[in-house]
Amino acid sequence: MKPAFAAAALAACAFFGAAHAQSEYNRVPSDDPQYRQCLRYASNRYTGGDEPSPVRGQTKVQAWCTCVWNETPDDFRGNLVSFSESSRGARINKMCEAYADWS
């Protein structure tokens, strides 16, 4: 497979995977403490989170935190941002960055 074709195929998979996930993510309860912590922590730590995301009605930080919240195991009780920065959370982080169009 040629490198340019492989890169295009990978990008298409990421785009369609994120688009597919967009219609499937559960809505996060607005009072969920993990989600609220994620919004605050990510907004303070990273730039560009207030920009609109591809998800209608959500900023990039909201879309990213929604994705991370939905993708972590149900019994996870820690800091979602810290988890995404760990080696265990790297795959989820990459997927959620693509979902939110935030890289």
Side-chain angles (χ1 to χ4, degrees):
M1 189 178 299
K2 294 185 180 197
F5 180 73
L10 182 60
C13 287
F15 172 77
F16 288 116
H20 179 67
Q22 181 176 339
S23 64
E24 289 185 16
Y25 280 136
N26 294 322
R27 185 178 191 98
V28 181
S30 61
D31 63 343
D32 184 88
Q34 269 186 314
Y35 179 73
R36 295 176 69 77
Q37 178 189 44
C38 180
L39 293 175
R40 281 190 309 274
Y41 193 79
S43 291
N44 290 330
R45 188 163 181 146
Y46 305 110
T47 58
D50 291 333
E51 297 171 7
S53 76
V55 182
R56 186 176 171 159
Q58 287 189 336
T59 63
K60 290 183 179 189
V61 74
Q62 290 169 326
W64 185 81
C65 286
T66 298
C67 176
V68 174
W69 186 86
N70 275 278
E71 293 294 335
T72 54
D74 289 340
D75 61 348
F76 181 78
R77 298 290 174 238
N79 183 305
L80 295 172
V81 177
S82 296
F83 174 74
S84 74
E85 294 172 341
S86 72
S87 58
R88 227 176 103 211
R91 180 189 63 79
I92 291 172
N93 182 47
K94 189 156 190 78
M95 180 178 61
C96 292
E97 283 178 346
Y99 174 76
D101 190 28
W102 193 19
S103 53

